[in-house]
Amino acid sequence: MIFCECLHGMHADAPTCSSAVRHACVHTCVRACMRVCSCCLQVCPENTVLSSGLSKWASAGGWRLGYQAYPSQLSELSNAVASAASHTYTSASAPIQQAALAIYSNLPAAKEYSRHCTRILAAVASYAHRHLSACRVKATPAVGGYYLFVDLEVVRPHMAKLGITTCDQLFCRIMDDVKLAVGRGSYDMRQQRSGRRQKRTVLGISIGI
């Protein structure tokens, strides 16, 4: 099984799980680049599992109803997944089912609401990125969704003086001092220097937009 949000690495003989979770909250400027789900279905419909959920595409935070659509050619895989799932849960809770009915009973309104949420997310992401950049903090411009990933290497020396050298420590300090919850965003970066590969951990966080 290949889990992808792009066509790179697709193989005709391997089932592909294409995520459509965030397809409706992609900022307009790159929407054409994010038509992955339809591309997967067009290229290999008999081998593509479409995976999605309400909380992201409908901007309905907290209403966690996920679902997958299987082609008939993958019925054995579908049965196996359903069997495994049945050992974990029976069904979505009644309030979530009612929320899903309300959304799917009026899709035009749901899509319009999601469109306006995306506009707000795009404006907030642009504002945050602009001001972080003005402080010489590196951040990749958000192209959709709900998070901004921030590289705080520029303040590492200052953080070290405060006894903060890891993302976990930074996370706890931000929570304790300003009561703001952020995501731990560390990752390993490997650099080529003098013919040898060196490894360092980047100090970073993810901010919910």
Side-chain angles (χ1 to χ4, degrees), residues 6 38 48 102 146 149:
C6 66
S38 60
T48 297
Y146 307 91
F149 296 94

Side-chain angles (χ1 to χ4, degrees), residues 21-39:
V21 170
R22 293 180 175 84
H23 77 279
C25 54
V26 174
H27 302 170
T28 304
C29 61
V30 293
R31 188 173 298 277
C33 299
M34 299 294 289
R35 295 171 181 165
V36 176
C37 304
S38 60
C39 289

Side-chain angles (χ1 to χ4, degrees), residues 1-4 6-7 9-19 36-51 68-78 81:
M1 171 72 76
I2 297 174
F3 294 88
C4 73
C6 66
L7 292 180
M10 282 191 65
H11 192 282
D13 296 328
T16 299
C17 183
S18 179
S19 173
V36 176
C37 304
S38 60
C39 289
C40 289
L41 291 172
Q42 291 173 7
V43 172
C44 197
E46 72 283 356
N47 234 14
T48 297
V49 178
L50 183 63
S51 178
Q68 292 184 327
Y70 290 78
S72 58
Q73 291 88 341
L74 296 179
S75 59
E76 289 188 13
L77 177 60
S78 175
V81 171

Side-chain angles (χ1 to χ4, degrees), residues 164 168-182:
I164 300 172
D168 285 348
Q169 293 171 339
L170 179 61
F171 171 87
C172 293
R173 186 63 176 269
I174 293 174
M175 174 63 79
D176 291 340
D177 289 0
V178 298
K179 309 304 179 187
L180 175 67
V182 297

Side-chain angles (χ1 to χ4, degrees), residues 1 3 22 34 64 117-118 126 135 137 139 153 183-184 206:
M1 171 72 76
F3 294 88
R22 293 180 175 84
M34 299 294 289
R64 301 288 183 175
C117 287
T118 299
S126 176
C135 299
V137 173
E153 283 298 297
R184 298 166 175 83
S206 61

